[in-house]
Amino acid sequence: MDKMWAGRFEKALDKQADDFNSSIHFDSRMYKQDIIGSMAHAIMLRRQGIISETEEKEIQKGLSGILADIESGDLQFDMNAEDIHMFVESELTKRIGDAGKKLHTARSRNDQVALDIRMYLMSECEEIGGLLKDLIRAIRDLAKKHKTTIMPGYTHLQRAQPITFAHHILAYGMMFTRDINRLGDAVKRMYESCSIGSCALAGTTYDTDREWEAKRLGFSGISLNSIDGVSDRDFCVELLSAYAMIMMHLSRFSEEIILWSSWEFKFVELDDSYTTGSSIMPQKKNPDMAELVRGKTGRVYGDLMALLTTLKGLPLAYNKDMQEDKEAIFDAVDTVKKCVSIFTPMLATMKVLPENMLSAAGKGFINATDLADYLVKKGKPFRTAYKIVGEIVAYCIQNGLILETVSLDKYKEFDDSFEKDLYGEISLKTCVEKRISAGGTGEKSVEKQIEFLTELLND
Ligand code: ARG
């Protein structure tokens, strides 16, 4: 295919250089945004008297034809084209002749590419937001079933205090809620800065109406500086960072599911349809999906680092290095979508094993804080109570006992304010039920969290 810029050159581009330079094999996925952008541009040119009504009509007809033919499969992308923008323009000219050559008046590929990625990402964010909502729904539904399922809560991966399973997984519900908000924030900033009409970098001598064109494309405003308009990729970095955060949350959750499904924990069992076997060990049931989600997190972090590194030394305005933004961001979009999509059904089909959680919670003195609080309620300062309970725990460890099996007489040897009611205070059920503070593991707070997510989900 002849290059559009061929006029200035005496020799054709070397084949290997041409392949190296070309981005059609990855930017063709933005064909729809590219065509929609061009349609709006043609109307703006006609409204401003830059092209005639007939020319605009021909352009619209040509572009709709190209869009329909790509979607039906009748038109294949020409892999010899330099990029999607050149492909669409040359196909248009092939179809409608001279009017097609007028489309590129008062715009450049630099502004076009910045526009196309924005529009592409806005729609992908909508989809990812929807997938995250499905995940939050699965978390909410699981939490509803486990409001009174007791498990050990951990710090430093050491049993710390009893909590409910609902409370534990709702923590992830809160994280994914913030992730959705982060996507919304990034999209809001994209909305405000439509780049089309920057005209490579300095603006144009034509009397264009960028505001109108931006509104037509659904933006709330235009980039106020044409150099910034074509050079800005912060929106990609910002989104990549939001994607990295989603992956980090998914990865932590995956790690817990991997631990919980081990024989050492056995708190959950993953459904057969989301686990795999081993080629040699017949007993194995491996949590591959969760492991892959954890593994792919590194890849999305890599995408973020790659783009930050690509941008860091670039002088203004556009440089070809910026073509590298797309592979990073597309890879991150695809990876996040795949990971959230697999994680949700894996979680929804996961079997929870409450007896195992309870029996693990019964070991490890996770009610020691509650025993100290008991003494505080009897008038002891917390530090003193803490020390007494520490001594009782040491005594238990030496004698193979747990706090529930120490006799009242023995308790009285440690402190005579201990009474029979201490046993009720340290039952795991009481420990959980009495955690009535806002945001705690008590049932009221858990219900409030479920309500919060239900409101967000609008169902
Ligand atoms: N394919 C290019 C990219 O993705 C489009 C912009 C090209 N602009 C240019 N002046 N060569 O960045």
Side-chain angles (χ1 to χ4, degrees):
M1 182 195 254
D2 262 357
K3 297 291 174 212
M4 277 172 186
W5 36 257
R8 188 224 177 281
F9 294 82
E10 284 175 12
K11 273 165 79 180
L13 185 61
D14 169 79
K15 172 81 182 89
Q16 194 185 343
D18 197 8
D19 289 346
F20 186 69
N21 193 43
S22 144
S23 55
I24 184 90
H25 52 286
F26 52 83
D27 65 19
S28 56
R29 70 161 83 187
M30 302 191 304
Y31 71 87
K32 202 170 185 171
Q33 289 76 19
D34 199 74
I35 293 173
I36 289 172
S38 288
M39 286 170 162
H41 191 65
I43 307 178
M44 187 281 289
L45 292 176
R46 188 256 304 151
R47 280 171 54 96
Q48 297 302 105
I50 302 169
I51 60 172
S52 73
E53 233 163 82
T54 323
E55 286 162 339
E56 195 246 313
K57 267 204 191 105
E58 283 175 46
I59 292 174
Q60 298 300 352
K61 205 167 150 244
L63 288 172
S64 332
I66 294 172
L67 182 58
D69 290 350
I70 293 175
E71 305 218 302
S72 68
D74 287 347
L75 176 63
Q76 308 296 321
F77 297 113
D78 177 357
M79 288 302 153
N80 292 314
E82 189 173 313
D83 55 31
I84 186 62
H85 325 293
M86 288 220 171
F87 171 76
V88 172
E89 193 186 326
S90 67
E91 182 62 29
L92 181 69
T93 308
K94 219 190 278 169
R95 292 185 181 204
I96 66 166
D98 278 353
K101 295 185 186 164
K102 294 202 170 180
L103 174 62
H104 211 54
T105 317
R107 74 171 188 187
S108 87
R109 273 190 298 156
N110 298 352
D111 11 334
Q112 236 184 316
V113 71
L115 169 72
D116 292 1
I117 320 174
R118 274 187 177 80
M119 291 200 293
Y120 171 81
L121 289 175
M122 283 165 167
S123 95
E124 290 296 339
C125 278
E126 181 103 23
E127 199 179 329
I128 294 176
L131 293 173
L132 284 174
K133 280 193 175 176
D134 292 342
L135 174 56
I136 292 174
R137 187 171 293 109
I139 292 173
R140 192 268 321 258
D141 291 348
L142 199 57
K144 267 186 177 172
K145 284 191 217 147
H146 293 283
K147 284 191 282 188
T148 55
T149 301
I150 293 173
M151 70 179 277
Y154 297 84
T155 64
H156 311 267
L157 201 58
Q158 303 288 320
R159 289 172 189 152
Q161 290 179 347
I163 54 170
T164 62
F165 182 61
H167 192 51
H168 191 104
I169 57 171
L170 283 166
Y172 288 107
M174 302 303 151
M175 295 176 211
F176 294 124
T177 302
R178 287 194 296 278
D179 285 333
I180 294 181
N181 292 339
R182 254 184 285 273
L183 294 181
D185 290 344
V187 165
K188 186 179 162 279
R189 261 183 290 283
M190 279 189 242
Y191 260 118
E192 288 165 356
S193 54
C194 182
S195 56
I196 199 74
S198 298
C199 296
L201 84 157
T204 182
T205 53
Y206 293 99
D207 175 24
T208 52
D209 190 346
R210 291 188 60 210
E211 292 279 358
W212 183 90
E213 194 169 341
K215 294 256 152 66
R216 169 88 191 187
L217 289 168
F219 286 83
S220 62
I222 59 167
S223 44
L224 286 178
N225 178 306
S226 59
I227 300 175
D228 178 45
V230 291
S231 310
D232 165 28
R233 291 293 181 275
D234 343 347
F235 62 97
C236 294
V237 174
E238 192 174 357
L239 259 193
L240 278 170
S241 134
Y243 293 156
M245 197 86 82
I246 296 171
M247 292 303 297
M248 182 268 287
H249 290 149
L250 279 177
S251 186
R252 292 184 79 172
F253 206 169
S254 295
E255 169 66 12
E256 298 217 272
I257 289 176
I258 293 162
L259 282 175
W260 292 342
S261 54
S262 69
W263 280 108
E264 282 69 16
F265 277 80
K266 258 298 161 251
F267 287 180
V268 300
E269 191 175 335
L270 289 172
D271 195 74
D272 281 2
S273 47
Y274 293 97
T275 43
T276 59
S278 150
S279 60
I280 172 170
M281 297 165 281
Q283 84 286 10
K284 291 296 288 293
K285 187 170 173 186
N286 296 328
D288 285 27
M289 309 306 134
E291 290 172 84
L292 273 175
V293 169
R294 189 179 57 185
K296 285 179 190 290
T297 301
R299 173 182 179 136
V300 175
Y301 290 1
D303 293 328
L304 170 62
M305 282 304 131
L307 186 57
L308 278 171
T309 313
T310 298
L311 294 175
K312 80 177 263 293
L314 294 187
L316 299 180
Y318 178 84
N319 300 268
K320 190 75 173 197
D321 317 42
M322 291 161 82
Q323 181 165 285
E324 289 291 308
D325 60 357
K326 278 168 288 303
E327 278 173 297
I329 197 111
F330 293 165
D331 179 68
V333 164
D334 294 346
T335 309
V336 168
K337 281 205 300 199
K338 267 191 226 161
C339 290
V340 184
S341 304
I342 196 80
F343 197 92
T344 302
M346 178 188 72
L347 183 75
T349 55
M350 181 179 84
K351 195 165 145 202
V352 179
L353 304 169
E355 311 76 49
N356 295 355
M357 289 182 177
L358 185 65
S359 99
K363 298 165 199 154
F365 306 100
I366 65 175
N367 43 6
T369 316
D370 299 85
L371 190 60
D373 286 342
Y374 169 87
L375 287 178
V376 171
K377 281 173 200 152
K378 296 261 170 179
K380 287 262 168 323
F382 180 76
R383 243 340 126 215
T384 315
Y386 173 94
K387 186 164 174 286
I388 297 169
V389 174
E391 285 161 7
I392 300 172
V393 169
Y395 165 80
C396 287
I397 294 170
Q398 279 154 20
N399 295 281
L401 295 169
I402 57 173
L403 296 178
E404 290 86 335
T405 54
V406 176
S407 71
L408 184 57
D409 287 346
K410 194 73 211 174
Y411 269 118
K412 283 197 177 292
E413 281 177 29
F414 285 98
D415 191 275
D416 60 10
S417 57
F418 278 120
E419 303 289 346
K420 217 169 154 223
D421 59 348
L422 81 90
Y423 296 103
E425 287 298 300
I426 60 169
S427 91
L428 296 184
K429 196 163 169 286
T430 316
C431 295
V432 166
E433 279 170 5
K434 286 212 163 164
R435 289 227 159 29
I436 51 166
S437 61
T441 199
E443 202 169 339
K444 258 213 182 117
S445 145
V446 165
E447 266 160 13
K448 204 164 178 190
Q449 298 173 51
I450 291 175
E451 259 167 50
F452 169 78
L453 295 184
T454 305
E455 236 163 74
L456 168 94
L457 294 170
N458 233 342
D459 59 22

